[in-house]
Amino acid sequence: MSVLIKNGRIITADADYIADIFIENESIVAIGKNLSNTADTIIDAAGKLVIPGGIDPHVHLDMPFMGTYSSDNYETGTRAALYGGTTMVIDFILQKQGSSLQSAFDEWSGRANGNAVGDYSFHMAVTDFNENTKKEIKTMIEKEGITSFKTFMAYKGALMIDDRQMIGLMEEVKKHGGLINVHATNGDMIDYLVQKHREEGKLSPLYHYLSQPEITEAEASERFLDMASYTECPGYIVHLTCEGALHAVRNATKRNQHIFVETCIQYLLLDASLYEKDFEGAKWVMSPPLREKKDQATLWAGINQGLVQIVATDHCPFMWEQKLMGKDDFSKIPNGHPAVENRMELLFSEGVMKNKITLNKYVEITSTNVAKIFGMFPKKGTIAIGSDADIVIIDPNEQHTLSAKTHHMNVDYSGYEGWEITGKVKTVLLRGKVAIDNNQCLIKKGYGQFVKRNKVSQNI
Ligand code: URP
Ligand code: ZN
Ligand code: ZN
């Protein structure tokens, strides 16, 4: 099977040129002007942008959480991702407290294998670090190719680990060449504020926001950075939202600490005024919550300063009926919002087209840096000879409107309903197969493969 993409404007993290790409089976085999290879399929990309497939390193598919399950499974979630130009996702396995990492890995693999349409990998969330878990870290990294370990400093009583466990885990992960991801907010302080607001009868979604003030994130980020510095363990802060937390990162760099930071598309584009819409604010109940306009400015600046290396989604969708579980009490609203299908187009429209980031930066923060940080580069994350042919073709001028009526995520509302955006994903190739074309998905569930990852490199 071969594909020839003609005359596209190829954008990578560090190049921008017009050429043809020749693909055989799953990989790119030639790039050049006027390639004359005979191909089974020829795609005319003149006037279009040709970029590496987006990789979203932060999604929650089919995840048991807050008394329910996130509403996209591996089939619907990875297919929706492909429609939006994301060819690979990294999902989170949650260890059950009292059980092994291996049993959690087997459970998650069982849900994903044979169902995924797009490629995927897992981070392992360690919720119970003990002598048994400690022995499994090496196996996860060396046998299963899971090199990143998620920790929660919040969700007290469910997922949170204490600092003692954090330090022990960091030492073990460092020893075997892995990375610690962290949800960095102060779980005890949030727990206190949630109870206080409930006792005062303050039960609307607005109090979700007011129970997680910026200081809860700034404090935990700084504490995490101190522990990572002490143990010399590579660290990655997920869904960083605010000025206070980014200042903690900036300070850490002053002692030459190398730290990776992810923000999410919603924190760049939406703000906390949405929580003033009574219960409709539940659509954006997520943790950490949306912040203020000054935080958006900080995050855009952080991207261009190289302090924030990745824009993900934290895609964790729930149907409106599931959100209604918290109709009378914000603390029961399942946390999370849908965006895996929207990230690439939103960031293109609001970031590139509005001159907040360059095209090269766009590719870097949606694909290349993800592949580099999480041990998949150059197989994934670039357009180069030998790389997987994961390729997205974008019409930079086409305008369209986001809506739950037309999206493919399994969720009955959109956090971006009615947003008019510029730039549309037209064609997507996954490992050499045309996966999306003309608003149709041409591949079936089961095509998506688990990607084993390499040990982590600090050199990006
Ligand atoms: O609200 C969120 N973020 N839900 C998913 C779990 C998490 O904290 O990432
Ligand atoms: Zn989180
Ligand atoms: Zn998350």
Side-chain angles (χ1 to χ4, degrees):
M1 212 187 61
S2 57
V3 180
L4 183 61
I5 303 174
K6 297 283 296 171
N7 294 316
R9 180 173 165 199
I10 300 170
I11 315 286
T12 63
D14 49 19
D16 181 345
Y17 57 103
I18 293 179
D20 303 341
I21 301 172
F22 182 63
I23 297 156
E24 245 174 359
N25 301 320
E26 300 200 342
S27 318
I28 297 172
V29 296
I31 304 174
K33 297 252 185 220
N34 305 317
L35 293 183
S36 57
N37 307 60
T38 351
D40 301 320
T41 307
I42 297 180
I43 300 172
D44 175 13
K48 311 260 181 9
L49 303 175
V50 179
I51 63 168
I55 310 173
D56 188 340
H58 193 153
V59 305
H60 301 278
L61 303 176
D62 219 350
M63 178 176 77
F65 189 53
M66 295 185 73
T68 184
Y69 278 77
S70 54
S71 60
D72 261 319
N73 58 27
Y74 288 87
E75 180 180 356
T76 62
T78 57
R79 185 167 52 222
L82 284 168
Y83 272 105
T86 289
T87 48
M88 176 176 175
V89 299
I90 313 184
D91 189 29
F92 291 84
I93 297 173
L94 302 181
Q95 176 197 15
K96 270 200 196 84
Q97 290 175 343
S99 299
S100 66
L101 301 184
Q102 189 65 51
S103 61
F105 174 75
D106 294 342
E107 187 185 330
W108 254 259
S109 298
R111 282 204 279 271
N113 287 349
N115 287 320
V117 187
D119 283 357
Y120 64 97
S121 180
F122 298 120
H123 309 283
M124 173 62 72
V126 179
T127 62
D128 186 2
F129 185 68
N130 54 46
E131 282 309 308
N132 294 330
T133 323
K134 187 174 170 178
K135 294 188 197 117
E136 295 188 273
I137 300 294
K138 185 172 189 278
T139 318
M140 283 297 137
I141 294 176
E142 293 180 2
K143 176 167 161 258
E144 309 293 4
I146 294 184
T147 53
S148 44
F149 296 84
K150 171 80 175 289
T151 56
F152 291 93
M153 296 169 84
Y155 300 120
K156 194 170 163 61
L159 303 170
M160 180 169 150
I161 59 168
D162 60 22
D163 293 349
R164 190 178 193 285
Q165 293 183 74
M166 180 73 89
I167 290 281
L169 178 62
M170 281 177 165
E171 286 189 339
E172 197 61 19
V173 166
K174 178 186 164 44
K175 192 157 99 195
H176 299 292
L179 171 84
I180 298 272
N181 305 3
V182 66
H183 172 127
T185 59
N186 183 318
D188 281 307
M189 195 171 163
I190 293 168
D191 200 48
Y192 169 78
L193 290 171
V194 168
Q195 290 316 322
K196 180 168 171 263
H197 287 134
R198 291 176 77 212
E199 279 159 26
E200 290 169 355
K202 294 171 173 166
L203 298 169
S204 70
L206 177 65
Y207 290 93
H208 170 78
Y209 166 61
L210 294 174
S211 298
Q212 300 199 33
E214 180 174 358
I215 193 78
T216 58
E217 192 178 332
E219 184 281 328
S221 301
E222 188 168 333
R223 187 158 35 101
F224 174 79
L225 288 161
D226 286 345
M227 291 187 280
S229 172
Y230 174 71
T231 56
E232 296 181 2
C233 181
Y236 175 102
I237 300 179
V238 305
H239 55 38
L240 183 141
T241 71
C242 59
E243 203 170 25
L246 199 64
H247 278 330
V249 171
R250 195 170 274 120
N251 283 338
T253 66
K254 290 183 191 158
R255 62 186 170 202
N256 301 322
Q257 188 173 354
H258 195 155
I259 188 80
F260 300 119
V261 175
E262 160 201 294
T263 190
C264 298
I265 189 70
Q266 59 271 28
Y267 301 117
L268 290 165
L269 304 184
L270 307 176
D271 68 74
S273 60
L274 290 167
Y275 298 122
E276 283 155 22
K277 290 173 164 242
D278 295 323
F279 193 72
E280 200 197 335
K283 287 179 183 170
W284 300 280
V285 162
M286 62 186 83
S287 293
L290 300 173
R291 302 286 186 200
E292 296 173 26
K293 293 249 185 277
K294 57 118 179 128
D295 297 298
Q296 295 178 356
T298 297
L299 295 175
W300 285 113
I303 288 172
N304 284 313
Q305 290 164 349
L307 287 171
V308 176
Q309 294 90 7
I310 289 178
V311 176
T313 59
D314 194 5
H315 175 75
C316 189
F318 295 100
M319 291 287 186
W320 188 242
E321 197 176 295
Q322 295 173 288
K323 288 281 184 180
L324 285 171
M325 290 163 65
K327 187 168 52 63
D328 302 318
D329 178 352
F330 70 87
S331 70
K332 299 196 165 56
I333 301 170
N335 285 200
H337 114 304
V340 75
E341 186 172 352
N342 306 133
R343 174 185 73 136
M344 298 294 284
E345 290 180 341
L346 276 171
L347 192 62
F348 182 80
S349 186
E350 301 300 306
V352 177
M353 296 307 275
K354 295 192 175 167
N355 293 321
K356 290 197 164 86
I357 51 170
T358 64
L359 265 172
N360 298 112
K361 187 58 123 178
Y362 172 68
V363 170
E364 185 185 315
I365 61 183
T366 55
S367 180
T368 312
N369 281 348
V370 187
K372 286 185 174 175
I373 293 171
F374 292 108
M376 299 178 284
F377 189 83
K379 176 180 164 64
K380 303 281 188 194
T382 193
I383 294 181
I385 291 170
S387 295
D388 280 2
D390 298 344
I391 292 176
V392 176
I393 303 178
I394 296 179
D395 180 337
N397 301 313
E398 186 170 324
Q399 299 193 326
H400 60 117
T401 306
L402 300 183
S403 172
K405 293 195 189 83
T406 49
H407 73 204
H408 303 85
M409 298 176 284
N410 186 38
V411 54
D412 51 3
Y413 68 86
S414 168
Y416 306 89
E417 188 66 41
W419 279 48
E420 288 175 13
I421 60 172
T422 305
K424 176 124 186 57
V425 169
K426 302 299 288 181
T427 306
V428 178
L429 282 85
L430 174 59
R431 282 179 284 105
K433 263 212 166 160
V434 179
I436 302 291
D437 196 38
N438 206 12
N439 279 321
Q440 299 288 322
C441 182
L442 305 175
I443 56 174
K444 300 229 170 332
K445 72 173 187 174
Y447 185 75
Q449 279 184 3
F450 174 68
V451 179
K452 272 194 177 186
R453 296 185 283 114
N454 299 321
K455 291 190 182 183
V456 164
S457 154
Q458 290 279 63
N459 307 319
I460 73 155

